Amino acid sequence: MDRVALRGLKARGHHGVFPREREEGQTFIVDLVLGLDTRPAAADDDLAKTVHYGVVAEEVVDVVQGEPVDLIETLAERIAEQCLKHEGVQEVEVVVHKPDAPITVPFDDVTITITRSRA
């Protein structure tokens, strides 16, 4: 399976369990790796036979900016579901970064990584 990766998609969302997170929002960063067969697109040089990563990026930002959820696990699941709606995408790895998580000790990042596929 071939891979198309999008790294560092940034969007502001209002996800989290604390009222401040819901009210003020924060930046979330998303990395995606889409698994698909790119041979038909390459053979015909045809965008319609692959995944349009620009469209995927816009959809992922819409999910992050959309309905708030408590957990980044839930957010990652929603992003994976959206990616798998694209016909050619057989598998997706989603990493959601929450660099401004409300943690009281110094840290660089909090992430959740999930992999989902058509089964």
Side-chain angles (χ1 to χ4, degrees):
M1 192 167 314
D2 304 319
R3 303 277 183 240
V4 173
L6 291 95
R7 308 235 188 254
L9 296 171
K10 293 180 184 177
R12 191 157 185 85
H14 293 266
H15 312 289
V17 296
F18 298 111
R20 182 174 174 205
E21 293 178 290
R22 292 294 184 106
E23 293 165 12
E24 296 177 15
Q26 60 193 292
T27 299
F28 292 84
I29 302 166
V30 178
D31 301 325
L32 300 173
V33 179
L34 308 170
L36 64 153
D37 183 358
T38 62
R39 288 176 292 190
D44 295 337
D45 198 27
D46 187 352
L47 177 60
K49 294 182 178 180
T50 187
V51 63
H52 190 310
Y53 50 79
V55 170
V56 172
E58 291 170 359
E59 292 171 350
V60 168
V61 166
D62 287 345
V63 172
V64 174
Q65 292 175 341
E67 181 184 348
V69 296
D70 288 344
L71 304 177
I72 59 173
E73 291 86 344
T74 306
L75 182 59
E77 191 69 35
R78 288 184 177 179
I79 292 168
E81 289 169 1
Q82 182 61 46
C83 292
L84 288 170
K85 288 180 181 179
H86 290 267
E87 185 178 329
V89 177
Q90 299 300 309
E91 181 179 272
V92 61
E93 179 184 273
V94 177
V95 181
V96 175
H97 301 256
K98 190 174 179 180
D100 299 320
I103 297 175
T104 60
V105 297
F107 75 103
D108 288 330
D109 199 6
V110 173
T111 67
I112 176 75
T113 303
I114 67 170
T115 303
R116 299 293 181 264
S117 61
R118 297 177 186 271

